[in-house]
Amino acid sequence: MNQQIQKTLRDSAAMRWTALLLLALAMFCSYIFMDILSPIKDLMQETRGWDSLAFGTMQGSEVFLNVFAFFLIFAGIILDKMGVRFTAVLSAVVMLVGAIIKWYAVSESFAGSGLEVWFTENLNMGPLYVNVWGLNINLNLFDALGVAPFYEGMPASAKFAACGFMIFGCGCEMAGITVSRGIVKWFKGREMALAMGSEMALARLGVATCMIFSPFFARLGGEISVSRSVAFGVVLMCIALIMTIVYFVMDSKLDAQTGEAEEKDDPFKISDLGQILTSSGFWLVALLCVLYYSAIFPFQKYAVNMLQCNLDLVEPAADSFWASSSVTIVQYIIMLVVAAAGFASNFQKKPATKYGLLGLSIVALITYCYMGYMRQSAEAIFAVFPLLAVLITPILGSYVDHKGKAASMLVLGSLLLIGCHLTFAFILPLFKGSAVGGVAIAYLTILVLGASFSLVPASLWPSVPKLVDAKVIGSAYALIFWIQNIGLWLFPLLIGKVLDQTNPGVEDPTKLNYTAPLLMLAALGVAALLLGLLLKVVDKKKGIGLEEPNIK
């Protein structure tokens, strides 16, 4: 029996990590599309008339159906009932459909079409008053809160793009819980935290890729076309679908070898949710997750514009190398060297090889930063966000696997998060007149923020199997993602609303004051810190084992 188990795909390190690579590449592509418009917020205002509120409303729409149609809950049920491979392919198909709709919404073909006329005349969600005992009560709760998915005066292209982004978001969040469940399936009892951290590190390179190539395609050939950027994302979603189909084949072979049939064993029951909802540890992890991620993902959508507003960036001469399209390719190759060398250094046993790769990664990172400064590009500057995370996430994941301390890492991540947002709010503006100083502060803060972000996947996600029964892991991840999505829907809208209210009459998208939104995000970090400290107390009192290693 033992000999048979050793011959399965799961017991081959190469096959385990190949399965992980397929899932991570699919998420890599989805992360690119998720933020495909973030680095060109200024171009969306110039070419499509999207102000901060329209931009934020569209960005927040990604998770609207997940939150208010409870799609993530259903996604968790589908995952538990149908298994990882079916749900992975389904999520990729849904993402591709939503991506195509969003591309058409920002394309030239949509402008002047009958569809544009319809969206202009409809979905204008304004106040709906009813008079009760002389009081005018707004029955439109979304409008009353100022966070409606559509609003009167919202550009038709933003409305239709929001519809496509809602569909994409259903597939993207379904993919997120599917990847987590897939890693549990292939790595349980092995290097699970390392696997989760590595998957997220690779996926987050999608953020950097987006920041570099979205503006590149939008400005390609000297003619601005925002639809080219989104078309680039659509092509990547086709690649993501191919990756999930290959994974489908691998996962099928694994089940054939082991005799597992996860969609039939321990069928999901609604009553099983009680096991999840009655766990205090689960609620603390879920709330910490929504607070922490709400201070990161919505910020990413505005980060490039924030840097444009707080740095004195002067475009290089049009005929110089730094303004050419080739510099984008060169800088991206250097970024891949940073990521690959830094990531690989974690797995080397020979000190000479380990530190040689680490040194190469550091030299390449310095080179990348220098090129970003010479390009005077806010997008290229923010693209360093995931690079330090790629280097240290495997270290953190391996540490959690062998030493534990997951809850402590969450506390440390919250502290770093608070410091970074306060630095953006108060210190970075002080260096606005300093070309070198401002960029240096920006680089350092962004790298630390990325490092902070790497603490979450390496410590939080591998902790979920310690909180719930194995047969409801999919539903537990779905509930956490659903709670997280409330913040991911709300805060892009709130940031846009706060920006408009605190910058009255400011029409130049590069002259906005970001202090108020950044303070709001720092406050989320403070709340996450308090919950992290409380989680440590609960873990110690109830013996959940969050501070214990995964490999015993």
Side-chain angles (χ1 to χ4, degrees):
M1 183 67 179
N2 290 336
Q3 188 175 4
Q4 181 183 3
I5 293 175
Q6 291 175 355
K7 292 180 180 178
T8 65
L9 292 175
R10 183 162 48 202
D11 290 282
S12 166
M15 291 297 100
R16 278 201 311 273
W17 287 92
T18 298
L20 177 72
L21 181 62
L22 292 170
L23 293 173
L25 285 174
M27 292 305 295
F28 170 82
C29 294
S30 70
Y31 266 55
I32 292 176
F33 192 86
M34 187 188 304
D35 280 316
I36 200 71
L37 295 181
S38 298
I40 53 175
K41 175 180 180 289
D42 56 329
L43 298 183
M44 296 308 299
Q45 181 164 341
E46 293 172 7
T47 64
R48 295 295 183 269
W50 295 13
D51 59 12
S52 293
L53 181 57
F55 182 82
T57 301
M58 191 286 302
Q59 295 283 38
S61 68
E62 178 196 356
V63 295
F64 187 83
L65 292 179
N66 290 323
V67 173
F68 295 102
F70 301 100
F71 183 82
L72 256 179
I73 306 300
F74 296 119
I77 295 174
I78 292 171
L79 176 57
D80 283 332
K81 294 282 283 185
M82 302 304 295
V84 173
R85 55 183 178 268
F86 172 86
T87 313
V89 174
L90 177 62
S91 65
V93 171
V94 173
M95 284 192 289
L96 179 58
V97 171
I100 292 173
I101 293 173
K102 184 174 179 178
W103 164 76
Y104 180 68
V106 300
S107 69
E108 298 296 336
S109 300
F110 179 76
S113 66
L115 202 55
E116 183 189 35
V117 174
W118 189 91
F119 273 90
T120 300
E121 296 175 349
N122 295 277
L123 300 180
N124 296 310
M125 298 180 63
L128 178 61
Y129 291 113
V130 62
N131 190 285
V132 179
W133 295 323
L135 296 176
N136 285 325
I137 299 176
N138 189 354
L139 296 182
N140 186 343
L141 181 60
F142 293 128
D143 179 78
L145 294 174
V147 288
F150 310 106
Y151 60 88
E152 190 170 359
M154 184 176 180
S157 58
K159 290 180 187 176
F160 193 38
C163 293
F165 212 25
M166 288 180 191
I167 296 172
F168 170 84
C170 289
C172 188
E173 296 304 318
M174 182 192 294
I177 60 173
T178 302
V179 168
S180 298
R181 178 66 177 269
I183 293 174
V184 170
K185 178 178 181 178
W186 282 79
F187 285 87
K188 189 171 184 179
R190 298 174 175 86
E191 56 277 84
M192 186 165 63
L194 175 61
M196 285 191 173
S198 300
E199 178 272 325
M200 192 55 70
L202 178 58
R204 283 189 185 136
L205 275 179
V207 178
T209 304
C210 169
M211 295 299 161
I212 287 181
F213 281 106
S214 179
F216 171 78
F217 283 110
R219 295 185 172 95
L220 190 64
E223 179 185 352
I224 293 177
S225 173
V226 294
S227 65
R228 275 199 301 260
S229 296
V230 186
F232 165 65
V234 171
V235 172
L236 292 176
M237 295 319 304
C238 293
I239 296 174
L241 177 58
I242 295 172
M243 294 296 101
T244 58
I245 291 173
V246 176
Y247 175 83
F248 185 102
V249 176
M250 280 193 66
D251 198 74
S252 297
K253 289 183 177 180
L254 174 63
D255 281 359
Q257 289 179 332
T258 62
E260 295 176 359
E262 74 179 354
E263 63 266 30
K264 295 180 181 179
D265 290 346
D266 296 319
F268 175 85
K269 301 174 184 176
I270 295 296
S271 59
D272 289 336
L273 291 178
Q275 301 177 30
I276 304 172
L277 300 178
T278 55
S279 168
S280 58
F282 167 83
W283 278 110
L284 286 173
V285 167
L287 292 175
L288 195 152
C289 177
V290 67
L291 291 169
Y292 194 91
Y293 275 74
S294 294
I296 295 285
F297 282 124
F299 171 72
Q300 283 180 192
K301 300 181 186 303
Y302 291 88
V304 170
N305 187 233
M306 184 274 295
L307 293 176
Q308 291 172 338
C309 296
N310 285 304
L311 295 175
D312 285 327
L313 299 174
V314 180
E315 290 188 12
D319 58 347
S320 71
F321 168 73
W322 302 110
S324 66
S325 58
S326 58
V327 71
T328 302
I329 308 299
V330 173
Q331 194 175 19
Y332 187 67
I333 292 174
I334 293 174
M335 173 190 291
L336 294 181
V337 173
V338 175
F343 187 81
S345 68
N346 291 285
F347 303 93
Q348 306 304 314
K349 294 183 179 179
K350 295 182 179 180
T353 306
K354 179 183 179 69
Y355 292 111
L357 286 171
L358 185 59
L360 174 61
S361 179
I362 293 173
V363 171
L365 177 60
I366 294 172
T367 304
Y368 174 90
C369 292
Y370 172 75
M371 294 183 71
Y373 168 73
M374 293 301 295
R375 290 181 64 191
Q376 292 288 285
S377 165
E379 308 95 84
I381 292 173
F382 186 71
V384 302
F385 174 67
L387 294 187
L388 189 56
V390 172
L391 173 62
I392 71 172
T393 297
I395 300 174
L396 296 173
S398 181
Y399 186 87
V400 172
D401 281 330
H402 294 91
K403 302 293 184 180
K405 305 298 181 182
S408 298
M409 286 190 178
L410 294 174
V411 171
L412 177 59
S414 299
L415 284 170
L416 294 176
L417 177 71
I418 297 167
C420 289
H421 282 312
L422 292 178
T423 298
F424 285 133
F426 296 111
I427 297 179
L428 185 60
L430 297 178
F431 288 82
K432 188 172 177 60
S434 172
V436 177
V439 173
I441 292 293
Y443 269 134
L444 181 62
T445 310
I446 293 167
L447 285 168
V448 173
L449 185 65
S452 165
F453 199 16
S454 68
L455 291 164
V456 175
S459 54
L460 188 149
W461 300 121
S463 300
V464 176
K466 297 179 180 180
L467 301 171
V468 299
D469 190 85
K471 69 177 181 179
V472 292
I473 287 177
S475 297
Y477 278 124
L479 278 174
I480 290 179
F481 274 62
W482 178 73
I483 295 169
Q484 170 191 318
N485 272 220
I486 295 175
L488 301 187
W489 159 73
L490 180 62
F491 281 94
L493 279 69
L494 289 181
I495 293 173
K497 198 170 184 65
V498 170
L499 276 175
D500 279 350
Q501 291 183 349
T502 56
N503 293 272
V506 179
E507 297 183 359
D508 187 342
T510 64
K511 302 296 183 182
L512 301 172
N513 186 324
Y514 268 84
T515 303
L518 289 168
L519 285 177
M520 178 175 64
L521 297 177
L524 293 177
V526 173
L529 172 62
L530 295 176
L531 281 179
L533 294 172
L534 181 58
L535 181 63
K536 284 176 63 71
V537 173
V538 172
D539 175 60
K540 186 175 181 180
K541 183 178 180 180
K542 296 191 174 183
I544 298 174
L546 298 182
E547 295 284 84
E548 297 178 3
N550 293 323
I551 299 176
K552 299 180 181 179

